[in-house]
């Protein structure tokens, strides 16, 4: 199987990046910003929204993770993001703290809630190719990347699906749509350039009177190549719901196809939403490739290596 090292929240990528739109054209790892006071990571993701009506007795979530990297090494390719950079900073860089011990009491609750603040949640994605020679789709497993290697999620492409449509389950042996372990799904458009992640709620057509059972949109990803096509660095925009004052996700429950994270982002309606981007790599003449500092987490050069960062940090 091919393994991928990923630093993620239980739901979606955490913060980091610079405060201007020009960040996409430069690599901020070579230009550390020290003049500004460090922002509270939680405030970057709090968008207001109505206070949660459900689970009012729930304790406040601890601080949200403030890590800035997300890497996915796979097949090596030319002109790819590579670990390390040519220049060294004057001050020694802070080493990534070891993964904290993370207790997962209720797996379904853990994978669906925003990440804890002040905690780096390291995960590992493993792709199992078993059965691919017989026409089956590979299965993807997500584990906590710590001593216990706690299982979190499994995913597999749905059969007879014309687009990328993946089922996500909290049971590695039960990847059925009707099973009680079905936790959500990822769906793409026909071009394979826009993706939406849903929870396990129902389609709006099957909504109850108060719409409380309608599925939430947990994330959207917009992917594009640059003018160099597949030989150059790729660009990604990630849209996620913001958090309210209690650090709980603001529910985004579209009632039709003209609503939802992608449509709101396209219409520049960013209420209760957070926009993230991949950190831009820089061209290295010595290696003749695009490089980005992954601080030791990436083991193979690949165009699939990336870091998702917040535009205001």
């Amino acid at each position: 199987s091919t393994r991928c090292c990923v630093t993620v929240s239980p739901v979606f990528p955490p913060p980091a990046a610079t405060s201007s739109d020009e960040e996409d054209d430069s690599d901020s790892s070579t230009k550390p910003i020290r003049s500004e006071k460090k922002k509270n990571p939680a405030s970057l993701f709090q968008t207001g929204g109505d206070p949660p009506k459900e689970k009012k007795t729930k304790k406040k979530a601890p601080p949200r993770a403030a890590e800035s990297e997300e890497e996915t090494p796979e097949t090596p390719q030319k002109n790819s993001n590579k670990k390390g950079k040519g220049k060294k900073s004057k001050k020694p860089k802070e080493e990534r703290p070891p993964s904290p011990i993370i207790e997962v009491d209720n797996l379904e609750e853990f994978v669906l809630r925003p990440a804890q603040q002040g905690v780096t949640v390291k995960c590992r994605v493993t792709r199992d190719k078993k059965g691919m020679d017989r026409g089956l789709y590979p299965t993807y497993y997500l584990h906590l990347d710590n001593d216990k290697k706690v299982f979190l999620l499994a995913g597999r492409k749905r059969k007879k699906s014309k687009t990328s449509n993946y089922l996500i389950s909290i049971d590695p042996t039960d990847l059925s749509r009707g099973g009680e372990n079905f936790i959500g799904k990822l769906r793409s458009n026909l071009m394979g350039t826009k993706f939406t992640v849903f929870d396990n709620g129902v389609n709006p057509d099957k909504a109850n009177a108060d719409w409380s059972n309608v599925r939430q949109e947990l994330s959207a990803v917009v992917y594009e190549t640059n003018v160099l096509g597949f030989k150059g660095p790729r660009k990604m925009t990630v849209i996620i719901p913001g958090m309210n004052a209690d650090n709980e996700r603001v529910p985004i429950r579209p009632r039709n196809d003209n609503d939802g994270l992608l449509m709101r982002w396209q219409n520049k309606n960013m209420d209760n939403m957070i926009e993230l981007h991949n950190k831009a790599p820089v061209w290295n003449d010595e290696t003749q490739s695009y490089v980005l500092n992954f601080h030791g987490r990436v083991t193979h050069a690949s165009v699939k290596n990336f870091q998702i960062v917040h535009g205001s940090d």
Side-chain angles (χ1 to χ4, degrees):
S1 62
T2 302
R3 294 194 170 183
C4 315
C5 302
V6 190
T7 301
V8 294
S9 312
V11 185
F12 297 105
T18 67
S19 57
S20 73
D21 294 335
E22 283 130 39
E23 166 60 13
D24 284 346
D25 299 320
S26 64
D27 183 359
S28 66
S29 67
T30 63
K31 300 176 292 184
I33 299 172
R34 302 186 186 281
S35 58
E36 293 182 14
K37 290 182 180 177
K38 187 146 187 172
K39 297 185 180 182
N40 175 11
S43 65
L44 298 172
F45 290 82
Q46 285 173 342
T47 58
D50 298 326
K53 295 179 181 178
E54 308 162 38
K55 299 183 182 177
K56 287 224 173 184
T57 57
K58 191 174 178 182
K59 292 181 182 177
K60 278 193 177 182
R64 187 177 180 86
E67 265 307 322
S68 64
E69 297 178 326
E70 184 168 284
E71 304 114 32
T72 319
E74 281 196 2
T75 311
Q77 294 186 24
K78 194 176 178 182
N79 292 349
S80 54
N81 304 348
K82 209 168 187 178
K83 70 173 180 178
K85 297 194 67 72
K87 298 179 181 178
K88 290 185 179 179
S89 58
K90 294 178 183 178
K91 293 184 180 179
K93 289 188 178 179
E94 294 181 13
E95 290 189 10
R96 184 193 297 274
S99 295
I101 296 173
I102 297 171
E103 297 296 331
V104 182
D105 298 324
N106 183 319
L107 184 55
E108 180 175 354
E109 185 181 311
F110 177 79
V111 298
L112 286 176
R113 71 174 178 237
Q116 296 179 5
Q117 296 173 9
V119 176
T120 300
V121 184
K122 281 190 190 178
C123 299
R124 181 177 293 267
V125 175
T126 308
R127 179 175 58 185
D128 185 354
K129 296 182 179 180
K130 191 186 299 180
M132 286 184 68
D133 54 342
R134 303 194 307 273
L136 299 177
Y137 294 118
T139 304
Y140 297 86
Y141 301 105
L142 180 72
H143 290 84
L144 281 177
D145 193 12
N146 52 20
D147 295 337
K148 293 183 179 179
K149 198 184 176 186
V150 177
F151 168 80
L152 297 178
L153 295 168
R156 188 170 60 204
K157 188 175 180 180
R158 299 182 70 177
K159 297 175 183 176
K160 301 177 182 178
S161 181
K162 294 179 181 178
T163 63
S164 292
N165 196 328
Y166 287 80
L167 286 176
I168 305 170
S169 172
I170 52 174
D171 185 339
T173 65
D174 178 17
L175 284 158
S176 62
R177 176 66 176 84
E180 60 181 19
N181 297 302
F182 170 70
I183 199 75
K185 70 174 183 177
L186 176 143
R187 189 180 70 191
S188 81
N189 62 353
L190 288 171
M191 297 287 291
T193 56
K194 295 179 180 178
F195 303 82
T196 304
V197 180
F198 302 90
D199 69 0
N200 55 2
V202 303
N203 189 294
D205 296 337
K206 302 174 183 176
N208 56 20
D210 61 357
W211 290 81
S212 60
N213 66 336
V214 172
R215 63 192 180 195
Q216 288 188 49
E217 290 191 3
L218 304 181
S219 178
V221 178
V222 180
Y223 157 83
E224 58 179 303
T225 57
N226 70 351
V227 291
L228 299 174
F230 287 99
K231 291 186 178 180
R234 300 185 272 189
K235 292 185 177 181
M236 289 170 58
T237 299
V238 177
I239 306 111
I240 60 174
M243 299 188 300
N244 60 25
D246 290 332
N247 295 328
E248 293 180 345
R249 182 177 56 255
V250 177
I252 304 289
R253 287 192 173 96
R255 301 194 175 198
N256 53 58
D257 292 337
N258 294 320
D259 194 8
L261 293 173
L262 286 170
M263 289 300 295
R264 295 184 191 188
W265 173 78
Q266 193 172 307
N267 295 327
K268 295 182 170 53
N269 174 17
M270 296 301 291
D271 291 345
N272 297 324
M273 286 163 43
I274 304 294
E275 181 177 335
L276 309 169
H277 296 275
N278 66 307
K279 191 173 183 178
V282 294
W283 179 258
N284 185 311
D285 285 329
E286 291 181 17
T287 61
Q288 288 293 296
S289 62
Y290 287 94
V291 296
L292 190 61
N293 191 352
F294 287 92
H295 304 283
R297 279 216 88 194
V298 164
T299 56
H300 297 286
S302 171
V303 294
K304 296 178 182 177
N305 295 334
F306 62 89
Q307 300 176 31
I308 298 297
V309 293
H310 193 291
S312 297
D313 186 354

